Amino acid sequence: MDDQAKLGRLLAAQDWAGAERVLKRMAGAKGAGAPVFYNLGKVLFEQGRFRPAATWLEKAARAAPGHANAWFELGRARLELGELEPARAAFAEALRLDPRDEDARRNAGRLALRLGRFAEARAAWEALAGDGEADIALYRVAAETRDPQAARLRVAILARRDIRAAAIKALVRVSKGAVPLDLGG
């Protein structure tokens, strides 16, 4: 049985160790490229081996720079390693390559916000305006950058019962000691 057929069965069975052996053999063959590197990275990720997963996913992204999924998965691996700036860059590239990828957009937006890259966070979240998480993130960006729209956005997120707890948490986070609420009757 050839490696390709064997690999399909191993992946279907979620036999990650077996799939890793086959993929490493395939990766060592002349002409191996992005699909093999990507799949090897994914298999290593599934095993919780994030450092080698990141290495192979980087190889996949270098071999095929337009491979949005390789960039996305590289972002996930970097995030698992606690490498926030490289994770942000990988998600941003995945989003650049596939602007419709909502998961890449959310991850890019979350990391940009966390790292204080407010213009980048705003750009990521604006496309999802109306979504609870996006609206809270847009409020946080406005509050952190002293945008005059912050007050309007604060009222809007507090008016939504479905996100009220998260909205209050965001208000506390950006309040710097003075929560802008009137909790009176």
Side-chain angles (χ1 to χ4, degrees), residues 40-126:
L40 182 51
K42 288 283 291 176
V43 162
L44 292 164
F45 188 96
E46 288 298 325
Q47 295 177 74
R49 296 171 51 208
F50 305 118
R51 178 77 51 210
T55 299
W56 285 103
L57 290 164
E58 274 182 8
K59 287 182 182 184
R62 276 197 311 268
H67 193 319
N69 287 339
W71 287 104
F72 180 84
E73 295 300 335
L74 177 58
R76 289 182 63 218
R78 292 291 183 211
L79 194 54
E80 289 290 340
L81 292 166
E83 299 171 355
L84 301 185
E85 188 58 45
R88 183 212 55 81
F91 286 128
E93 183 62 12
L95 180 58
R96 186 188 72 73
L97 292 167
D98 184 0
R100 296 167 311 194
D101 185 338
E102 195 171 299
D103 289 332
R105 182 170 297 285
R106 287 181 183 282
N107 283 311
R110 288 174 185 139
L111 284 166
L113 187 60
R114 187 170 175 186
L115 293 167
R117 294 171 160 263
F118 298 121
E120 191 174 319
R122 178 181 287 123
W125 288 111
E126 280 178 335

